[in-house]
């Protein structure tokens, strides 16, 4: 038994262990891990959405910007001008997800070319023309002699040469060094961050300038307050930084490298990388560190800890960023498409603002030149204010104090405020009124009126055009005032024609710039995600598989499936609940597969065992149980107890009177044929009543009711079976005699008793029988033999009568002590089922019962008379004959006064 228990325990652990090892090894395969990542993606869709930081703003070079400017990629002066405007409107950070790693060709200052150059040329040529006209006029009027004119001609030539030099200098200003311009603007802005790519291989190309730039990156761009104690970290072989003129004027740089999982989806990012012993932050992490006060960084492989981080409005705290087992942070994406997440603003209005501003200045300068602006007081100094602001900007551009920027912003605000006052303050109407008064005055000559009439449409035209330009600029500035102050701006390409697109867990075409914003938002929100190592998942799966194995070990296949599916569903729900509550993901696929296949294999084994059990039941009970009972045992095998147990059952014993005499005159073949015919019919009746055939002993049948399947009416079933066996005996005898199978009719005696019996498999390991034992069984056997003494067919005990006489006609007989049993028991004879008993027999039985009462009251004469009347009603009634004989004997010799009415039977 001990070895068997050990075997069971071994099997209980063996299957989960094999399945666990099998699926654990799968974790080394890429496709398998990707399945788990897809499950992780699915859970991202059900978890509460991460809070989006309102300060994050996408400044997008989108389809509108590209279409309006009809350029791609953009010249860098657009970005430079945009940075200046962003500074004016107090944007907090500018993070460029654009790589400026190559020098760009010089640009053309189109505004200078279109507006300033013609003005300079006009002024210089007007001066030359005026000088020439004045010289010739003086000669004509003889104010200067021809001899003296020669001196003036030389002076005129000198002035012309000077104009030439001036114009050449101005022409050279048409060319713009856009790289330098962007660098100057980055310094002017103050919190601009660019890229330094981390490369897995050396690019091979080098130059003194590039080496100097890389040295600068190592010395000044790397993060110095970073401590690494352990863990995996990406180590770059080479770097590709933004060009020096830009990078050296920035506040820092980070690497834009993205990390794709095997299925091409962005899920995680490494925040720190190493190059030549120095540490560099990811593109969005670098400005975030600045935003948090440049805290000390501790990288320990399991987390990145930011010591003394200063969260605006929340004070100083320690931020711990959990890392997955490959040293990366999981990105907590907003569960939206790119265009629906965070705030978005096109970069185009920033560029258009500059273009419209150039037009505004051109018109205002022209209006000032022709006197359309107010001439009294200092109302026209706002243009000088603009120029002064530009000079402040130029000073900062050339390395001047950045404190001048505040003054620059104030002068620009003053410029726009005064421009608004003039353009909307009635200056146009004032001028038109003055012109109309001149046109209506009778004191003004027609020549003068003609000139003023020609001027009037120009006034309207330039004022209307300028007001329209200002309205456009004002609208842009209103939008910028709403969107930019305090914003952390991520600048990148988002147009559909760009290739800077990836895949997020929520969108198949997600703009790369959005990933950087999501990284920063994850850290700022503090809602971090984490994934347990796969080996923890495998261990948990193994433990759960053992529990499932224990739970379903004794269940049938259907319940095993229900429990197994329920357990798998429970695991999924628990992992989902854990993820929603904590943001920690336990790799789901491995424990689910371990548990699923464990219960599947165990269920299959249980099914095989069940089928084996069914075959055993059919084999073991097929000969002595009805098919109905066998099917019930098969469907509910728990009802079958093959070990010994005590139960309340009904035993039925049969025997053929005088069978030894019959067998003596038959050949062995005929005897077997006779027995088979008899036992078949009688056994079928027992089986039809769901009885169990214990064994055959020659012509005798030993059976019982109520096991292995419980029946509450087992006593009644036994009585029914006995009555039907006697009726079948009549038909069987007709057949046997007609076919000469028996020399004489067969007469069956039946004994039935109900009581506590031991039932179960008894015997040896090689030979066992499912049988019954106990005094109650012995009593049933005795009652079969007692039929001889009462000349009855079926005798049952009072216990059977009390439990199972429904629908059965019986009559009460003596209380007796049978051989080997001291306790007296009342005997009852089963006559037949009620529907088969005639009224005359019922009347005879009524008289017999009355006679028995008289007999037990010792009224022998009256009892004798009644028994004789009963015999008349039931001719040839054996029990009546016996009681008549007893009455005669007791009348001659009464029993002792101490007689209790119990007859002690001395024969079996």
């Amino acid at each position: 038994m001990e070895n068997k228990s050990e075997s069971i325990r071994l099997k209980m652990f063996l299957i989960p262990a094999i399945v666990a090892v099998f699926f654990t090894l799968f974790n080394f395969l890429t496709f398998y891990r990707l399945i788990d990542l897809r499950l992780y993606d699915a859970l991202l869709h059900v978890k509460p959405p991460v809070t989006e930081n309102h300060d994050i703003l996408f400044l997008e070079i989108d389809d509108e910007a590209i279409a309006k400017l009809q350029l791609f990629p953009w010249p860098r002066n657009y970005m430079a001008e945009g940075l200046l405007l962003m500074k004016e409107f107090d944007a907090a950070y500018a993070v460029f997800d654009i790589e400026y790693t190559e020098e760009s060709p010089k640009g053309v200052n189109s505004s200078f070319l279109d507006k300033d150059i013609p003005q300079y040329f006009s002024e210089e040529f007007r001066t030359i023309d005026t000088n020439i006209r004045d010289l010739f006029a003086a000669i004509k009027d003889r104010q200067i002699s021809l001899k003296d004119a020669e001196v003036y001609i030389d002076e005129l030539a000198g002035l012309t040469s000077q104009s030439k030099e001036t114009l050449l200098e101005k022409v050279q200003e048409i060319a713009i060094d856009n790289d330098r311009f962007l660098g100057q603007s980055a310094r002017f802005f103050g919190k601009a961050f660019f890229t330094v790519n981390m490369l897995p291989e050396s690019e091979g190309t080098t130059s003194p300038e590039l080496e100097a730039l890389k040295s600068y990156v190592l010395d000044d761009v790397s993060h110095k307050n970073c401590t690494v104690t352990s863990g995996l970290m990406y180590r770059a072989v080479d770097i590709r930084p933004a060009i020096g003129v830009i990078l050296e004027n920035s506040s820092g740089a980070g690497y834009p490298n993205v990390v794709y999982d095997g299925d091409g989806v962005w899920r995680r990012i490494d925040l720190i990388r190493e190059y030549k012993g120095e540490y560099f932050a990811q593109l969005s992490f670098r400005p975030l560190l600045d935003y948090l006060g440049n805290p000390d960084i501790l990288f320990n492989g399991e987390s990145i800890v930011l010591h003394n981080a200063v969260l605006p409005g929340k004070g100083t705290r320690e931020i711990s960023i959990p890392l997955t087992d490959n040293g990366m942070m999981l990105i907590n994406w907003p569960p939206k498409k790119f265009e629906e997440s965070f705030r978005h603003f096109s970069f185009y209005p920033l560029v258009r603002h500059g273009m419209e501003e150039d037009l505004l200045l051109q018109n205002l300068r022209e209006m000032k030149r022709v006197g359309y602006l107010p001439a009294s007081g200092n109302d026209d100094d706002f243009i000088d204010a603009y120029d002064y602001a530009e000079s402040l900007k130029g000073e900062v551009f050339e390395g001047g104090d950045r404190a001048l920027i505040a003054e620059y912003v104030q002068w620009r605000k003053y410029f726009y405020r005064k421009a608004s006052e003039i353009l909307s303050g009635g200056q146009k109407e004032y001028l038109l009124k003055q012109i109309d008064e001149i046109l209506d005055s009778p004191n003004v000559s027609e020549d003068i009126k003609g000139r003023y009439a020609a001027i009037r449409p120009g006034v309207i035209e330039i004022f209307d055009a300028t007001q329209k330009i200002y309205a456009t600029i004002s609208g842009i500035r209103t939008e910028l005032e709403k969107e930019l102050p305090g914003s952390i701006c991520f600048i990148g390409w988002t147009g559909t024609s760009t290739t800077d697109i990836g895949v997020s867990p929520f969108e198949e075409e997600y703009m790369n710039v959005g990933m950087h914003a999501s990284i920063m938002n994850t850290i700022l929100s503090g809602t971090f995600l984490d994934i347990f190592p796969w080996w923890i998942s495998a261990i948990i799966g193994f433990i759960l598989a053992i529990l499932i194995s224990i739970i379903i070990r004794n269940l049938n296949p259907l319940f095993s499936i229900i429990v197994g599916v329920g357990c798998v569903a429970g695991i999924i729900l628990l992992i989902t609940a854990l993820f929603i509550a904590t943001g920690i993901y336990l790799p789901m696929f491995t424990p689910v597969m371990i548990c699923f296949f464990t219960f599947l294999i165990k269920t299959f084994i249980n099914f095989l065992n069940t089928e084996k059990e069914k075959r055993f039941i059919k084999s073991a009970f097929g000969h002595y149980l009805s098919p109905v009972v066998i099917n019930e045992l098969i469907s509910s095998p728990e009802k079958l107890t093959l070990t010994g147990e005590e139960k309340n059952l009904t035993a039925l014993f049969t025997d053929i009177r005088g069978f030894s005499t019959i067998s003596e005159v038959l050949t062995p073949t005929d005897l077997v044929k006779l027995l088979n015919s008899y036992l078949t019919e009688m056994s079928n009746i027992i089986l039809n009543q769901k009885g169990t055939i214990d064994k055959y002993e020659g012509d005798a049948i030993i059976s019982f009711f109520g096991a292995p399947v419980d029946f509450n009416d087992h006593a009644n079933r036994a009585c029914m079976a006995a009555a039907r066996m006697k009726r079948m005996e009549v038909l069987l005898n007709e057949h046997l005699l007609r076919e000469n199978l028996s020399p004489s009719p067969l007469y069956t005696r039946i004994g039935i008793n109900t009581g506590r019996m031991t039932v179960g498999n008894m015997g040896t390991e090689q030979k066992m029988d499912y049988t019954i034992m106990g005094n109650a069984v012995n009593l049933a056997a005795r009652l079969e033999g007692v039929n001889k003494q009462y000349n009855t067919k079926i005798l049952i005990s009072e216990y059977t009568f009390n439990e199972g006489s429904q629908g059965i006609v019986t009559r009460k007989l003596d209380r007796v002590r049978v051989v080997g049993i001291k306790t007296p028991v009342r005997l009852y004879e089963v006559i037949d089922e009620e529907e088969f008993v005639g009224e005359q027999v019922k009347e005879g039985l009524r008289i017999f019962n009355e006679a028995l009462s008289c007999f037990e009251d010792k009224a022998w004469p009256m009892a004798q008379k009644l028994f004789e009347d009963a015999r008349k009603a039931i001719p040839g009634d054996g029990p009546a004959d016996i009681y008549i004989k007893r009455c005669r004997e007791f009348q001659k010799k009464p029993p002792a006064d101490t007689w209790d009415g119990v007859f002690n039977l001395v024969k079996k």
Side-chain angles (χ1 to χ4, degrees):
M1 290 299 292
E2 185 177 347
N3 290 337
K4 186 175 182 181
S5 298
E6 290 179 0
S7 176
I8 293 174
R9 286 195 294 270
L10 179 62
K11 291 179 181 178
M12 193 176 299
F13 285 93
L14 185 60
I15 292 174
I18 293 174
V19 174
V21 169
F22 181 78
F23 282 102
T24 297
L25 292 176
F26 267 111
N27 282 276
F28 293 98
L29 301 178
T30 301
F31 85 92
Y32 185 85
R33 293 195 301 272
L34 290 180
I35 295 174
D36 232 324
L37 290 176
R38 292 298 177 90
L39 294 174
Y40 165 79
D41 291 346
L43 293 189
L44 287 176
H45 286 74
V46 301
K47 78 170 184 64
V50 62
T51 301
E52 296 178 24
N53 192 294
H54 184 73
D55 289 339
I56 293 176
L57 173 68
F58 292 124
L59 277 180
E60 303 175 274
I61 306 171
D62 54 9
D63 288 328
E64 178 192 12
I66 295 171
K68 290 289 180 63
L69 297 175
Q70 297 184 345
L71 281 174
F72 182 80
W74 279 4
R76 294 172 188 178
N77 62 298
Y78 286 175
M79 299 301 183
E81 292 167 356
L83 277 176
L84 298 177
L85 202 55
M86 289 167 63
K87 184 62 180 180
E88 182 177 343
F89 284 92
D90 201 27
Y93 287 86
V95 184
F96 283 87
D97 187 26
I98 302 172
E99 297 181 16
Y100 297 116
T101 57
E102 303 292 337
E103 292 183 356
S104 66
K106 291 187 182 296
V108 175
N109 189 337
S110 57
S111 174
F112 186 78
L113 177 64
D114 295 339
K115 306 175 185 67
D116 295 338
I117 288 297
Q119 181 178 344
Y120 285 128
F121 270 77
S122 296
E123 290 177 355
E124 294 299 327
F125 277 97
R126 187 184 301 114
T127 300
I128 294 172
D129 181 67
T130 300
N131 290 334
I132 293 174
R133 287 179 182 274
D134 289 344
L135 176 62
F136 279 96
I139 294 173
K140 178 181 177 183
D141 295 336
R142 296 183 179 180
Q143 295 175 358
I144 301 174
S145 64
L146 290 175
K147 183 178 180 180
D148 294 334
E150 187 175 344
V151 176
Y152 286 102
I153 291 173
D154 292 337
E155 289 180 2
L156 182 62
L159 292 173
T160 303
S161 178
Q162 185 178 345
S163 295
K164 174 184 174 183
E165 294 296 328
T166 300
L167 291 176
L168 286 175
E169 289 178 4
K170 294 298 181 182
V171 168
Q172 289 178 353
E173 292 181 19
I174 296 175
I176 301 175
D177 186 346
N178 285 333
D179 295 339
R180 184 169 181 268
F181 185 22
L182 180 55
Q184 290 171 326
S185 297
R187 179 178 181 273
F188 188 92
F189 181 80
K191 294 290 184 181
F193 292 83
F194 294 89
T195 64
V196 53
N197 255 300
M198 299 283 114
L199 305 178
E201 298 177 353
S202 175
E203 291 195 304
T205 58
T206 186
S207 66
E209 294 79 10
L210 181 58
E211 292 303 316
L213 177 59
K214 290 182 179 180
S215 296
Y216 169 79
V217 170
L218 285 170
D219 294 337
D220 295 330
V221 177
S222 62
H223 211 78
K224 301 301 181 183
N225 54 341
C226 179
T227 302
V228 177
T229 58
S230 62
L232 295 174
M233 177 179 287
Y234 182 92
R235 287 172 171 78
V237 175
D238 201 354
I239 58 173
R240 186 191 302 131
I243 59 176
V245 70
I246 294 175
L247 196 59
E248 291 168 6
N249 286 288
S250 70
S251 291
Y255 55 86
N257 306 70
V258 296
V259 178
Y260 301 93
D261 284 319
D263 55 354
V265 178
W266 299 328
R267 295 185 180 90
R268 65 192 88 209
I269 194 73
D270 48 346
L271 298 176
I272 301 289
R273 290 188 177 185
E274 183 254 323
Y275 171 65
K276 289 189 175 180
E278 298 293 341
Y279 300 105
F280 293 84
Q282 195 270 342
L283 179 60
S284 58
F285 192 42
R286 180 62 189 88
L288 177 61
L289 292 172
D290 185 90
Y291 180 81
L292 297 175
N294 288 307
D296 293 331
I297 302 174
L298 173 63
F299 182 100
N300 58 25
E302 295 182 355
S303 64
I304 292 177
V305 181
L306 306 181
H307 294 290
N308 299 320
V310 181
L311 276 169
K314 297 181 180 180
T316 301
R317 62 181 58 187
E318 184 175 279
I319 299 175
S320 181
I321 304 170
L323 304 178
T324 59
D325 54 3
N326 54 5
M328 297 187 184
M329 182 195 81
L330 289 169
I331 304 171
N332 197 348
W333 299 88
K336 304 174 183 177
K337 295 181 178 179
F338 170 75
E339 59 270 16
E340 297 170 352
S341 58
F342 303 106
R343 294 185 298 129
H344 295 252
F345 194 77
S346 175
F347 204 93
Y348 172 68
L350 280 78
V351 178
R352 185 179 181 188
H353 182 283
M355 295 177 174
E356 297 293 334
E357 186 175 280
D358 289 341
L359 293 175
L360 178 66
L361 261 294
Q362 180 182 347
N363 284 4
L364 289 175
R365 292 185 192 280
E366 180 61 21
M367 292 165 69
K368 177 181 179 181
R369 185 185 70 79
V370 296
Y372 291 170
L373 297 182
S376 60
N378 295 321
D379 287 340
D380 63 338
D381 67 354
F382 73 100
I383 298 178
D384 293 334
Y386 178 89
D387 292 335
Y388 179 66
E390 288 295 295
S391 69
L392 293 175
K393 179 182 73 176
E395 189 173 342
V396 175
F397 269 23
E398 296 303 322
D401 189 353
R402 293 187 68 256
L404 296 173
I405 296 174
E407 188 179 356
Y408 162 84
V409 173
Q410 292 303 316
W411 280 112
R412 283 183 59 84
K413 288 182 179 179
Y414 173 79
F415 164 76
Y416 275 105
R417 184 172 69 251
K418 296 302 293 184
S420 174
E421 291 174 0
I422 291 171
L423 293 174
S424 63
Q427 179 66 16
K428 180 179 77 170
E429 288 73 16
Y430 171 78
L431 290 174
L432 293 176
K433 181 180 178 181
Q434 296 295 318
I435 293 173
D436 290 341
E437 288 178 355
I438 293 173
L439 293 176
D440 294 337
S441 174
N443 300 319
V444 179
S445 67
E446 292 300 321
D447 184 49
I448 293 175
K449 286 183 178 181
R451 289 202 298 269
Y452 274 92
I455 290 173
R456 192 178 193 281
V459 171
I460 296 173
E461 180 181 0
I462 195 167
F463 265 94
D464 287 349
T466 306
Q467 287 173 337
K468 184 177 181 180
I469 293 169
Y470 182 82
T472 299
I473 294 175
S474 179
I476 294 173
R477 293 179 71 83
T478 299
E479 290 182 340
L480 297 180
E481 184 64 44
K482 176 184 176 183
E483 299 290 345
L484 289 183
S487 293
I488 302 171
C489 303
F490 286 89
I491 304 168
W493 301 99
T494 62
T496 54
S497 60
T498 69
T499 59
D500 204 10
I501 301 174
V503 181
S504 81
F506 296 97
E507 189 175 10
E508 291 186 359
E509 292 187 356
Y510 196 89
M511 298 303 170
N512 192 19
V513 67
M515 181 195 67
H516 302 299
S518 295
I519 293 168
M520 179 178 286
N521 186 69
T522 298
I523 300 172
L524 285 175
S525 68
T527 51
F528 297 109
L529 305 176
D530 200 2
I531 296 180
F532 279 130
W534 61 265
W535 56 267
I536 292 180
S537 178
I539 292 173
I540 292 174
F542 174 61
I543 294 172
L544 292 175
I546 292 175
L547 293 177
I548 290 176
S549 182
I550 293 172
I551 292 171
I552 69 174
R553 68 184 187 279
N554 293 324
L555 298 180
N556 63 39
L558 176 60
F559 283 107
S560 293
I561 292 173
I562 294 173
V563 172
V565 172
C567 288
V568 170
I571 293 168
I572 294 173
L573 290 176
L574 285 174
I575 292 175
T576 301
L578 173 69
F579 185 68
I580 291 174
T582 67
I584 299 175
Y585 174 66
L586 174 69
M588 183 188 299
F589 197 57
T590 294
V592 166
M593 287 294 100
I594 291 174
C595 292
F596 176 77
F597 277 92
T598 294
F599 102 75
L600 196 66
I601 294 171
K602 291 289 292 185
T603 299
F604 181 70
I605 292 174
N606 286 349
F607 173 78
L608 295 179
N609 289 336
T610 300
E611 290 299 309
K612 182 179 179 181
E613 191 175 63
K614 289 179 181 179
R615 289 194 299 271
F616 167 76
I617 291 172
K618 288 182 179 180
S619 173
F621 294 95
H623 297 293
Y624 45 90
L625 281 179
S626 70
V628 175
V629 176
I630 292 175
N631 290 337
E632 189 165 350
L633 284 177
I634 290 173
S635 62
S636 303
E638 68 275 4
K639 295 181 178 180
L640 175 62
T641 302
L642 294 178
T643 57
E645 64 172 335
E646 188 178 74
K647 297 180 67 176
N648 187 52
L649 305 174
T650 297
L652 183 152
F653 282 70
T654 73
D655 189 44
I656 299 176
R657 181 182 65 187
F659 190 74
S660 297
T661 303
I662 294 174
S663 63
E664 288 176 358
V665 298
L666 293 175
T667 65
T669 301
D670 292 338
L671 179 62
V672 170
K673 189 174 182 180
L674 171 64
L675 273 179
N676 286 343
S677 297
Y678 171 80
L679 294 175
T680 297
E681 297 297 338
M682 298 304 171
S683 298
N684 286 342
I685 292 172
I686 294 172
L687 296 176
N688 288 338
Q689 287 298 311
K690 299 186 179 180
T692 300
I693 305 295
D694 185 336
K695 62 177 70 69
Y696 300 106
E697 291 184 353
D699 59 304
I701 302 174
I702 302 173
S703 62
F704 52 92
F705 295 77
V709 177
D710 290 330
F711 297 109
N712 293 330
D713 60 344
H714 53 80
N716 187 253
R717 289 178 179 275
C719 294
M720 290 285 188
R724 293 174 185 181
M725 290 167 72
K726 291 303 294 182
R727 293 204 305 274
M728 174 55 70
E729 185 180 73
V730 175
L731 299 176
L732 183 61
N733 280 330
E734 291 177 1
H735 171 72
L736 294 176
L737 295 174
R738 185 173 59 249
E739 299 296 329
N740 293 319
L741 295 176
S742 176
S744 60
L746 304 180
Y747 187 86
T748 304
R749 292 189 291 253
I750 302 173
I752 302 174
N753 180 46
T754 300
R756 303 298 293 179
M757 307 174 190
T758 299
V759 62
N761 259 357
M762 301 178 194
T764 68
E765 291 185 359
Q766 288 74 31
K767 176 63 177 176
M768 284 190 179
D769 285 325
Y770 188 69
T771 186
I772 51 176
M773 295 178 64
N775 284 334
V777 180
N778 296 336
L779 179 56
R782 296 292 182 268
L783 293 181
E784 181 274 316
V786 172
N787 279 293
K788 301 175 188 177
Q789 301 181 42
Y790 285 87
N791 199 15
T792 52
K793 298 172 288 186
I794 307 170
L795 283 180
I796 65 174
S797 68
E798 61 184 278
Y799 313 118
T800 302
F801 174 81
N802 292 335
E803 289 192 27
S805 61
Q806 299 84 0
I808 301 294
V809 175
T810 62
R811 67 170 153 188
K812 184 166 62 174
L813 298 175
D814 290 330
R815 292 174 65 238
V816 300
R817 289 186 183 90
V818 299
V819 177
I821 299 176
K822 296 180 179 180
T823 304
V825 60
R826 172 73 70 180
L827 302 180
Y828 290 84
E829 181 189 10
V830 172
I831 305 303
D832 206 340
E833 294 180 73
E834 190 170 356
E835 61 183 296
F836 295 103
V837 179
E839 292 302 320
Q840 182 176 339
V841 173
K842 290 180 180 179
E843 177 63 18
L845 294 174
R846 186 191 64 76
I847 297 172
F848 184 92
N849 287 335
E850 186 178 347
L852 183 62
S853 296
C854 292
F855 179 82
E856 292 185 341
D857 289 339
K858 300 179 182 180
W860 318 118
M862 178 60 70
Q864 180 179 342
K865 181 180 181 307
L866 290 172
F867 281 129
E868 288 173 349
D869 291 342
R871 186 172 59 182
K872 291 177 183 178
I874 308 174
D877 182 42
D881 287 342
I882 292 173
Y883 279 101
I884 291 171
K885 182 178 178 182
R886 285 182 180 175
C887 288
R888 289 171 181 168
E889 290 176 354
F890 287 162
Q891 290 178 55
K892 293 178 182 179
K893 185 179 179 181
D897 293 338
T898 58
W899 182 57
D900 57 2
V902 176
F903 287 90
N904 295 311
L905 304 180
V906 296
K907 296 180 180 178
K908 292 184 178 180

